[in-house]
Amino acid sequence: MDDVVKIKPFWSEPARRPSREEAEAAVRTLIAWAGDNPDREGLVDTPRRVAKAYREFFAGYGENPSEELGRVFTEVDGYADMVLVRDISFFSHCEHHMAPFSGKAHVAYFPRDGVVGLSKLVRIVEMFSRRLQTQEALTAQIAGALEERLRTRGVAVMIEAEHSCMTMRGVKQHGSSTVTTQFTGVFRDHNERMRFLTLVGGAK
Ligand SMILES: [Zn+2]
């Protein structure tokens, strides 16, 4: 049985946020570390582009799941069964190598007092994936945020992802994927868990 992992503060903010110029200088250093010349024509604007791209890759640090999940709709004509959004594609970066990993998240919950807009589930996946992550923590954080803020009867999260730190370096396992799951509440029941896995389409 998986235990609910309570959401802890996911990150601590840096003591001082570096300036954009400092971030760009750090990228120049990494280019030189790779063995290339940061002053050659094709690379001259790269530090600026990378610093800008980082704002997008890691936009999740500035976002708050409570705000996303604030609005609950109670008029659902008695609907009380599972709500599942499957195949939510996401991109993240592993916190050990800062290498990209990407895949699909399947997120389900059993409503208790109402439902949230379906796009909110997608936003929660985005918010946590746009940080430095491990797949395990990402899975637990999505489940924890829904569990804590939605007062559901149960949450199920399954993530299937390919990690470039495994495919491009180290063991170079091209095509291998990693599957993680987290179940809370009624999803701990075997039948509900099987229904979720069947609806998701099984571990592909
Ligand atoms: Zn890694």
Side-chain angles (χ1 to χ4, degrees), residues 58-71:
F58 300 111
Y61 286 110
E63 296 170 331
N64 181 344
S66 297
E67 284 167 24
E68 254 341 293
L69 296 172
R71 177 120 198 258

Side-chain angles (χ1 to χ4, degrees), residues 7 11 14 18 28 31-32 44 48 52 77 84 95 112 115 125 127 135 141 161 176 201 204:
I7 326 188
W11 74 98
R28 281 176 58 85
I31 292 171
V44 101
R48 184 183 54 78
K52 189 167 176 226
D77 281 348
L84 163 67
E95 66 184 27
R112 187 197 297 273
V115 298
V125 172
M127 182 177 303
Q135 184 176 330
Q141 287 166 8
S176 74
K204 277 165 262 178

Side-chain angles (χ1 to χ4, degrees), residues 36-51:
D36 212 322
N37 173 8
D39 292 318
R40 74 175 171 83
E41 195 191 354
L43 289 173
V44 101
D45 283 331
T46 299
R48 184 183 54 78
R49 289 192 207 96
V50 172

